[in-house]
Each structure stands twice: as structure tokens, then as C-alpha cells.
Amino acid sequence: MDTSASPRTVTGRVDVHPRGFGFLTVQKPGTPEVLSAFITPPDLNPLFAGDVVSATVTASGEGRWTASGLSLVERTRTVVYGEVVSRKGAFFLRIDKEVSNTDWPLDPGATPVQHNDAVVARIADGKVVLLYKLEPGADRSLERVIARHGLHRDFPPEVIEEALRAKETPHALGGARRDLRSIPTVTVDAPSTRDIDDAISVLPAGPDGALRLLVSIADVGESVKEGTPLDLEARARATSVYLAGRVLPMLPEELSAHWLSLVPNEERHCLTVELRIDAEGRVTAADVYESLIRSWARLNYDEVADFLNDGIVSPAMEPVRDAMPWFRLASARLAVSRAARGGMTMSRDEARFTFDTATGALSGLAGEKDTSAHNMIERFMVAANEAIASWLMTRGVPTVYRVHEQPDPQRVADVNAFALHSGFAAGFGAQLTPLALAAFDRQIAGAKAEAALRSVLRRSLGPSRYTVKPGPHFGLAAPLYLHFTSPIRRYADLAVHRLIKAYLHGRRDFVHEDPEIEQLSQHINVRARSANRAEADRHHELEARFMSTRIGQQFPARVVRVKPFGLVTQLDGMWVEGMVPAEGLAGGPYRPDARELSMVGKTRTFTVGMPITVKVVSTDEQLGRVEFALVE
């Protein structure tokens, strides 16, 4: 932005900082450039995070912008979480610090409340009106995150009623569908999974060496009809949200865990993509059709990994024993083919919280690594998604693509620098290629700090997005890509299913790059970002709760981000993130460099990727923050 420009009137969105001030964020049309203007606490008082406002922004000589004269244009937020404050006989709501910087008058209605009660309220003119009060012992962190990000907590009664009708209405099985019930078919999921939406089958290789992999996905569109209350609620949610200790599903469990779920020994409607995979791992043909399947076995990742690694056949695997080696071959072939294209693996190590089954209290934090079974299923699903994208493209059917742009030269330079700071040589040129990315990905596989390195790498590569405009997915080195394999938990997949079914049923009047599909894509992008932020906030709040019992303990860690106010560090093995404040670092003052890859002091520099040792100093669960101190 031109910092010498005169004051201007703009429209933007309000962000609230927990310290009481805020920022007005304005996206410059047609560019990635963003103006961020400071909002003083008094001007922020009548506003909530997410409010769209018009304002006058003024630049100082230092290039900083300030917003004044703010006027509300649109309020998208409808509910807030807060805790009751009693003052002189009146009740106020101390709202989540990420949402509002001031207490609001509370109308409790007929519900008796007292000081420090946790409540969720709807926003009304100049006040907030109580919707419900949390029960004693309820997880306040969870409710705060749900309200903060505008997530849908419960399903309306009419949606539940429709789901029950769909569940209880028997479907005519068979018909024009291709009957796959005689083909050995399995599902592979975590033991706790209830909404099973994908199944796999394999036909052994013939004389030409080619085998056939069948990926069958629950035909959600058969039960969720477009425009119904059930569909409109699913569209509004756009995705299931996985908050540690709680799932907010896109579809009611009455439907998703029963009639739609591909449970063993039950006949189910599916959409199947049948892939011909030659001896070199190339997908040389794809056929897509409506099918009728029956799962022969429900397997979990651990037992499939035991077979892939050691040839162990579990009791549950006995009905499909003969198919298992062919699954292993299909996975190996796809791995070879993908390796030849480049890109990075989608698998990741994760830290998962555990909860006491009786009380629901947080009981632990466990690191989880992907197994060979996770990698096999991931290869199958990626291959199916790619095949469907190409199948729709060649038939002129517009759809919801998943696009990931090639990183620009500055991002490539950042990855180069980060790699060197981490003890790895990336050696990227000005333009990063999928094969060069794959070579670096292979370097860090198995490294002690792999989790931290991958988190930084993904952040440097930037996010993927949905759009009707076809384009490559750089991270997967895929010419075309979309989401087809999880219609129970992602609306994008359900939209793709409906377009496939429309074509299979004879529709041909499609509109090139249909603007309605683009509008849907943008809505899904917004909801997916909210879901991602909510999942991250919930995770950070539980990290703070977990680390609150470890004050004073020391841990090996690694710098994963540099902020103006300090170093974001990740603990090795535990993958907990926290902040080392810059003001607490000896040898200051410290300032970040231009790209926020290094924190530079008078005699010392801290860089992204650098290993350090830290001590836990304090935690703040409400803000999801853990503070560390550097241990020299």
C-alpha cells in the first residue's frame, strides 16, 4: 500500500485482539495485498470480531494505518460465549476475548443466573440475550470455540426428523446399479469411526499385468436430496468439524452412522470409480458408475498395517485373505507412479488428546504416526479423486475442483532458508518443482524434527482451495484434483457426487465454469477455514490445559515460526506449541527480519528450524497459550 496516500474510506472486517484493541482488515480487490488498520479500544467497544464496517483509514509516516469513524455495515455473528458478571444488581456478559473487548448488558430472560456462570447468548440491539446456560462441570473451552467460530452445534428438529425418515425409509436396492456384492470388499478405518463412507475392492491382474482397483463411496445424494432442510443444513455447515473430545458432524448421526455407513454384511448404494492400474502404476482407464455393494469385512489400520508389514492375517481379515496381497500390489504401484511425478506426502504425525471415558476429563496427550495402512488408503483415495476430476473434465461437466497453486519465488526462498536453518540443504532454484519438493520431502522423512519441519513446509507452500476453475494441485503433483471420497463429512464431495449422477442420468446442459458452483466453492472455502481455525483453537486450548500441570519442566523444542513479539516453538515428540517472548531473550532488543524467518538481536539470531531447549513458564487456557522461557 502507498503509505503516503491521503485518508480514504474503505470497507473491511474487524479482528479483535485479546489485549483489547483491534484491526480492520481490507482485501485489495484482485490482489493478495491486505491493508491492516489499527482500531483503538474505545472505537472497538460496540463491535464484534467478524463485523463488516466502513471506516476512514489514515497512514502515518511509519507506514502504519489507523481506522476511525467506524460504521457497522453487516453483522454476520449471531451468538457469543461468555461468563456472567454481576454489578450492582445488573448482569453483564464478559465475552470471549477473541470476539469482544468489553462486557455487554445481559438479558437472562427466565433463566436464573449468577456470577461466573458460563452461557451462550444471541446478539440483540445493544445487548445480548441468553440462549442457554452451561451445566456445572461442562467443558467451557469447547463451547467457547463453537461460538467463537459460528459453528452449528445442534441440528434443528426438522432436520433430525428428515434424517430419521431417510433412515427408516427402505431404498430399492439394485435396479440399474452395477452389482458388486460378489466381489471381496473391505473398509479400513479407525475402530472408533461410525460414519464409514469408503470401501475398496481389487480384481487380480490379468495376462496384461493390469489390475483393477474399485473405490466405492457411499451414495449420500440418494438420501440427501438437494434443497431439502437436511441438505440446506449440510450446505450451511459445509464440513464436519473435529474438535478434540467432540465432533460436530455435517449430517445427523441418525443418518450418517446408519443407512449411509458402509457397515459389514449390509447392502449399500455407492458411487464406484474403477481404476485400471498397469504394471508401472499408471492409471490407464477409469469407469464411474452407480453400484450396489456389500462390505465383507471391517478392518482397522493397525491390523492392515500388520498384514502389509509382516503378513499377519487377523480373524476379521479371513474373508478377504486372498484379496489382501493385491491391495498391497495396487498400493505399491500407485506409490511408484506418484513418486515419478513428485509432490509431497499427505500423511502427517499428529498429537491427539485422550479423555477419561467416565468423566470426559482430559487425561493425556499421545503422538500418532501414520502407518503403512494409512499410506495405502491415502494413495487409493488420491487416485480416485484424480480420476474423477479428469472424468468430469473430459465430459465438460463443471465441478468443485481442489486447486493448490505453485508457490511464488519469495515463498520458495523462504523454504530454502528454513531448510538451511534446520540443517537440511534444499537447493531449490527460483522456481520450485514437484520433483524438487519430493526430494526434500524424502530428506526430512524420519528426521527427529520431522513433525516441526512438515508444519513449516506446509505453511510455506500455502493452502489449497475449492473453485470451479480447473487447475493443478501442486502439493500432490496432480494436473487435476477434487474431493470425491468423503461425502458424509464434506459438502464439496456431495456436490461432486450430484454432478456425476446428473451426467450418468443423462443431463448434458451444463454451463462452463458455472457461476453457481463457484459461489458454492467460495462458501465452502469460508466454512472450511472457520472449521480449521476452530480445530486449531480447541487444540491450543487443550495444550494449555495439559501443560498447566508441567510448569517449570524443561523440554527439547524447535523454532517453527517467528513473530514480532517472539518465537513460536514446538516441543519435540509432544508437538505442543508455545511462545518464547522476545522481551525475555537475553542480548536484546530483538526484531524479526523482513520475512519473519529470523529473530535478530545485537549478538545473536534465532531462526526457524533452530533446535532449542525451553521451560514451561505459564499457560492461559482461554487464549490457548503456553509461554516458554529459553533454557541456555
Side-chain angles (χ1 to χ4, degrees):
M1 290 284 181
D2 179 8
T3 58
S4 64
S6 58
R8 68 183 73 170
T9 300
V10 298
T11 299
R13 194 172 296 273
V14 172
D15 289 325
V16 175
H17 192 283
R19 293 184 179 179
F21 52 83
F23 293 94
L24 179 64
T25 303
V26 182
Q27 183 81 46
K28 189 175 180 180
T31 75
E33 191 175 357
V34 173
L35 179 149
S36 184
F38 181 79
I39 304 174
T40 64
D43 287 336
L44 188 64
N45 285 348
L47 302 173
F48 293 102
D51 282 353
V52 178
V53 301
S54 64
T56 299
V57 294
T58 307
S60 69
E62 299 177 345
R64 297 177 181 175
W65 293 82
T66 301
S68 60
L70 285 78
S71 176
L72 183 65
V73 173
E74 180 185 8
R75 174 158 287 158
T76 57
R77 184 178 300 276
T78 58
V79 300
V80 291
Y81 165 90
E83 292 163 1
V84 177
V85 177
S86 177
R87 294 196 199 112
K88 299 179 179 179
F91 292 112
F92 294 83
L93 192 63
R94 181 162 295 154
I95 296 172
D96 176 9
K97 294 179 183 179
E98 301 272 358
V99 173
S100 175
N101 74 334
T102 191
D103 299 346
W104 283 63
L106 173 66
D107 179 358
T111 303
V113 296
Q114 59 185 2
H115 186 78
N116 204 40
D117 279 349
V119 307
V120 173
R122 64 179 177 86
I123 300 170
D125 295 333
K127 61 182 178 181
V128 290
V129 179
L130 188 143
L131 285 174
Y132 59 89
K133 182 174 69 172
L134 272 64
E135 295 296 325
D139 191 334
R140 297 186 175 196
S141 163
L142 182 61
E143 294 291 342
R144 182 166 53 239
V145 168
I146 291 172
R148 177 186 297 169
H149 295 284
L151 304 180
H152 293 234
R153 182 178 183 269
D154 301 310
F155 287 96
E158 64 271 19
V159 172
I160 297 294
E161 290 171 10
E162 186 183 344
L164 288 172
R165 285 197 302 272
K167 169 191 166 186
E168 294 167 358
T169 303
H171 290 200
L173 296 172
R177 292 176 177 269
R178 199 170 300 185
D179 191 343
L180 305 179
R181 289 174 292 179
S182 63
I183 298 175
T185 300
V186 304
T187 62
V188 183
D189 292 279
S192 60
T193 301
R194 300 192 63 192
D195 49 352
I196 304 171
D197 52 13
D198 58 89
I200 54 174
S201 315
V202 65
L203 302 180
D208 61 354
L211 57 77
R212 293 179 181 273
L213 174 70
L214 284 66
V215 178
S216 298
I217 308 300
D219 190 351
V220 176
E222 192 78 6
S223 298
V224 182
K225 301 299 184 182
E226 195 166 4
T228 61
L230 182 58
D231 173 62
L232 295 177
E233 179 68 15
R235 179 181 176 126
R237 293 176 178 236
T239 181
S240 295
V241 187
Y242 296 88
L243 305 173
R246 174 80 178 271
V247 177
L248 303 179
M250 186 180 80
L251 295 171
E253 190 178 71
E254 288 83 355
L255 183 62
S256 62
H258 294 87
W259 178 250
L260 292 178
S261 189
L262 307 184
V263 295
N265 303 313
E266 296 288 344
E267 296 178 344
R268 290 290 186 261
H269 283 168
C270 286
L271 278 180
T272 295
V273 56
E274 182 175 330
L275 308 177
R276 181 184 183 275
I277 305 172
D278 71 11
E280 296 182 348
R282 294 172 299 196
V283 177
T284 58
D287 193 12
V288 184
Y289 47 82
E290 294 175 311
S291 62
L292 176 65
I293 75 157
R294 179 175 64 85
S295 171
W296 289 31
R298 174 177 179 169
L299 308 179
N300 63 55
Y301 287 110
D302 288 341
E303 64 188 323
V304 173
D306 286 342
F307 173 81
L308 295 175
N309 301 339
D310 302 312
I312 298 172
V313 177
S314 68
M317 201 178 290
E318 283 293 344
V320 292
R321 169 195 284 265
D322 293 341
M324 296 307 298
W326 294 105
F327 283 128
R328 181 163 51 194
L329 176 60
S331 177
R333 286 184 176 183
L334 290 173
V336 168
S337 178
R338 281 185 61 184
R341 296 185 323 192
M344 66 183 294
T345 59
M346 291 180 65
S347 60
R348 66 184 68 188
D349 298 337
E350 291 185 318
R352 293 190 181 275
F353 294 100
T354 56
F355 298 85
D356 186 279
T357 53
T359 66
L362 178 64
S363 59
L365 177 64
E368 287 191 359
K369 289 181 175 289
D370 280 352
T371 66
S372 55
H374 289 91
N375 294 334
M376 181 185 81
I377 296 301
E378 181 251 324
R379 288 172 192 140
F380 291 170
M381 299 305 126
V382 168
N385 288 337
E386 287 189 56
I388 293 293
S390 297
W391 190 89
L392 289 170
M393 166 65 84
T394 57
R395 287 158 179 77
V397 181
T399 191
V400 181
Y401 292 102
R402 187 71 168 167
V403 172
H404 183 217
E405 277 88 5
Q406 184 178 25
D408 59 45
Q410 187 58 68
R411 284 183 176 269
V412 175
D414 289 351
V415 177
N416 263 321
F418 135 71
L420 287 173
H421 296 326
S422 305
F424 293 86
F428 300 141
Q431 189 175 47
L432 180 60
T433 66
L435 281 170
L437 176 61
F440 182 72
D441 187 67
R442 184 165 297 188
Q443 273 197 80
I444 64 177
K448 183 178 180 180
E450 180 181 359
L453 298 174
R454 287 198 184 282
S455 69
V456 176
L457 180 59
R458 287 191 176 90
R459 195 174 302 113
S460 298
L461 292 177
S464 305
R465 60 186 174 84
Y466 294 108
T467 176
V468 74
K469 298 179 181 179
H473 192 293
F474 177 80
L476 293 173
L480 286 173
Y481 194 70
L482 51 66
H483 282 156
F484 159 77
T485 55
S486 296
I488 289 178
R489 63 183 180 89
R490 289 189 306 232
Y491 198 86
D493 304 53
L494 176 54
V496 169
H497 276 226
R498 286 174 172 155
L499 290 161
I500 294 170
K501 288 167 68 70
Y503 184 89
L504 293 175
H505 288 214
R507 180 184 168 189
R508 295 297 184 269
D509 60 338
F510 296 101
V511 177
H512 178 64
E513 295 187 0
D514 191 332
E516 290 188 7
I517 296 178
E518 180 62 18
Q519 185 179 17
L520 172 62
S521 299
Q522 295 307 316
H523 163 71
I524 297 173
N525 286 333
V526 170
R527 296 313 306 160
R529 284 194 294 269
S530 292
N532 289 338
R533 287 194 296 265
E535 289 169 359
D537 282 0
R538 171 65 169 167
H539 191 86
H540 291 320
E541 289 184 0
L542 290 180
E543 283 181 333
R545 186 187 302 178
F546 181 75
M547 298 305 292
S548 66
T549 61
R550 288 156 177 79
I551 303 297
Q553 294 184 20
Q554 297 182 13
F555 299 93
R558 191 167 295 266
V559 178
V560 292
R561 290 196 298 283
V562 169
K563 296 291 186 181
F565 40 83
L567 306 173
V568 181
T569 61
Q570 185 182 88
L571 304 186
D572 289 349
M574 296 173 66
W575 307 319
V576 170
E577 286 192 356
M579 175 67 68
V580 178
E583 61 191 22
L585 295 172
Y590 284 86
R591 296 287 184 271
D593 63 8
R595 294 295 298 175
E596 296 191 350
L597 289 171
S598 298
M599 184 71 79
V600 182
K602 294 178 180 179
T603 60
R604 191 174 183 183
T605 298
F606 295 90
T607 57
V608 170
M610 175 183 289
I612 57 176
T613 300
V614 297
K615 177 176 65 176
V616 183
V617 174
S618 66
T619 62
D620 186 327
E621 182 177 333
Q622 182 172 348
L623 298 180
R625 292 182 181 173
V626 179
E627 183 176 319
F628 297 134
L630 183 68
V631 177
E632 297 291 353

